[in-house]
Amino acid sequence: MKQVSKLIAKKPDKRYCLGIESTADDFGIGVAKFNGEILANARSGYIPETGGIHPREAARHHADVADKVLGEALAEAQLKPEDLSIVAFAQGPGLGPCLRTGATVARVLSSYLRIPLVGVNHSVGHIEIGKLKTGAQDPLTLYVSGGNTMVTAYASGRYRVFGETLDIALGNCLDVFAREAGLKHEKGLPFGAVVEQLAAKGKKLVPLPYLVKGMDLSLSGLLTAANTALQKGGHTLEDVCYSLQENAFSMVTEVTERALAHTEKKEVLLTGGVAANKRLQTMLGIIAEEHEAQFHVVPKEFASDNGAMIAWTGVLAYTHGLVTPVEESFVKLRWRVDKVDVPWVKQP
Ligand code: AMP
Ligand code: MG
């Protein structure tokens, strides 16, 4: 990123950022006003016919729907392309072909409209939209999604990672379990939500592994054991879903609680697609209360991957003098959140 704050003054009458999200299965375009109003949050999700996300197929989906989603976002925001002042895009982390598709759309818009390009870290986007929408100022954040599971908090210029998964992400664990159990996306619901509904009917706790290692956790053994328990028989699907959730959510809650005790933050924020889960919300609410911290959950509309979070983080970066020259706009597949400076966050 470069410091080019002079660009801000160039179009003082235009204060809109278009944000493109395409890190994995969702292609989203949002529009944020510089004052934090979200004017649009259009999206199209790719659902594989069988199996998990195939990066090239997801990328093809993104390319196919880009034009339509762009049109929807602009219509929702009641803007014309010429009204935009900057274009932000999720530069990483994520799946290469998917990221490259979003980046290409962003570069085209930036070059055609002659407006600056801002590369945004996807994980930072989830944290910032959570803060914007809940009013949290300086939270300890549990970010749980299809591709990420981490506990982060701001310290000395960056969001630092206090704990994370050593293997698969929490959302991925629920999704793979659901797929292997032969579940379907009932009424278009994400697999995590399907597991949640079944878990609510579960009563008996099936013994499953619980793996917290220091401040990190491991979910792949739990996933295998849950699948095995189901295949072997003797347990209802509802009980296995319930037990899978109880174990996995207790693990992330334990790590979050320890980080909360260590950092003494006064707010806890739950963000990412899995944040929609009521049982997880309850567990985190309990530890927040025990530590006299306020508990915040990102609204459902902004929980899963979305363009609005990229647009808003683009505004934050740009108004703090950061832009991404096109020659530096290559995608970063493993761009960790703790490698990103966030100069807009003030040390409390
Ligand atoms: P994201 O990667 O942020 O787009 O979030 C998608 C992930 O959130 C997927 O793994 C979904 O299964 C998961 N998810 C969505 N809704 C729920 C829910 N109610 N409970 C648990 N997981 C969910
Ligand atoms: Mg997603």
Side-chain angles (χ1 to χ4, degrees), residues 12-333:
D13 53 325
K14 294 185 177 180
R15 303 304 235 191
Y16 305 106
C17 175
L18 181 124
I20 302 176
E21 158 61 36
S22 73
T23 56
D25 55 339
D26 296 301
F27 184 82
I29 298 192
V31 179
K33 233 170 137 172
F34 278 28
N35 66 3
E37 249 179 278
I38 301 297
L39 301 183
N41 195 20
R43 180 184 354 209
S44 170
Y46 153 78
I47 299 181
E49 275 169 30
T50 54
I53 306 173
H54 189 298
R56 255 181 297 128
E57 279 174 22
R60 191 173 311 135
H61 159 268
H62 298 349
D64 287 346
V65 301
D67 185 42
K68 177 173 144 282
V69 178
L70 176 62
E72 283 168 9
L74 290 171
E76 202 180 323
Q78 300 190 325
L79 294 176
K80 296 190 288 297
E82 310 79 78
D83 297 326
L84 300 170
S85 17
I86 46 173
V87 177
F89 70 104
Q91 199 171 359
L95 306 172
C98 301
L99 283 167
R100 280 189 280 277
T101 305
T104 304
V105 176
R107 285 185 208 109
V108 168
L109 285 172
S110 159
S111 128
Y112 182 71
L113 298 168
R114 295 174 184 276
I115 54 177
L117 190 62
V118 182
V120 163
N121 179 285
H122 172 87
S123 309
V124 172
H126 275 288
I127 300 169
E128 293 302 346
I129 198 72
K131 285 166 65 182
L132 176 76
K133 285 289 163 189
T134 63
Q137 300 282 318
D138 177 35
L140 178 81
T141 302
L142 173 62
Y143 161 37
V144 274
S145 68
N148 292 278
T149 297
M150 63 177 83
V151 177
T152 73
Y154 178 83
S156 308
R158 291 184 180 179
Y159 289 115
R160 309 287 168 176
V161 178
F162 285 83
E164 60 194 317
T165 180
L166 296 169
D167 41 48
I168 55 172
L170 181 53
N172 189 233
C173 175
L174 300 171
D175 294 348
V176 174
F177 171 79
R179 218 169 33 240
E180 296 197 359
L183 301 179
K184 298 274 169 284
H185 290 279
E186 304 290 343
K187 299 184 202 128
L189 284 178
F191 273 143
V194 176
V195 172
E196 178 178 22
Q197 287 184 349
L198 290 162
K201 295 185 207 136
K203 290 187 183 68
K204 207 175 101 238
L205 210 49
V206 178
L208 294 174
Y210 182 100
L211 269 159
V212 171
K213 301 182 180 182
M215 287 297 283
D216 295 327
L217 50 99
S218 158
L219 292 162
S220 61
L222 171 62
L223 168 63
T224 308
N227 279 136
T228 309
L230 195 62
Q231 281 157 15
K232 274 194 176 161
H235 305 291
T236 66
L237 172 62
E238 287 81 359
D239 282 344
V240 179
C241 288
Y242 167 65
S243 310
L244 172 64
Q245 276 202 175
E246 290 303 297
N247 272 40
F249 294 172
S250 300
M251 284 155 63
V252 292
T253 304
E254 179 190 327
V255 172
T256 308
E257 180 173 23
R258 213 144 356 107
L260 189 59
H262 175 72
T263 58
E264 299 186 333
K265 297 277 182 188
K266 291 288 156 238
E267 297 161 307
V268 174
L269 170 67
L270 177 59
T271 193
V274 188
N277 190 289
K278 294 276 182 260
R279 178 62 183 142
L280 180 58
Q281 292 174 11
T282 303
M283 284 193 189
L284 282 182
I286 292 169
I287 59 128
E289 197 181 333
E290 280 178 2
H291 290 262
E292 293 175 8
Q294 261 191 329
F295 179 51
H296 300 279
V297 184
V298 71
K300 206 168 169 184
E301 183 192 352
F302 301 101
S304 273
D305 297 340
N306 64 87
M309 70 185 195
I310 303 302
W312 172 235
T313 310
V315 170
L316 293 170
Y318 182 69
T319 52
H320 288 77
L322 300 174
V323 297
T324 307
V326 75
E327 62 276 15
E328 289 175 25
S329 66
F330 48 84
V331 299
K332 305 175 188 181
L333 277 56

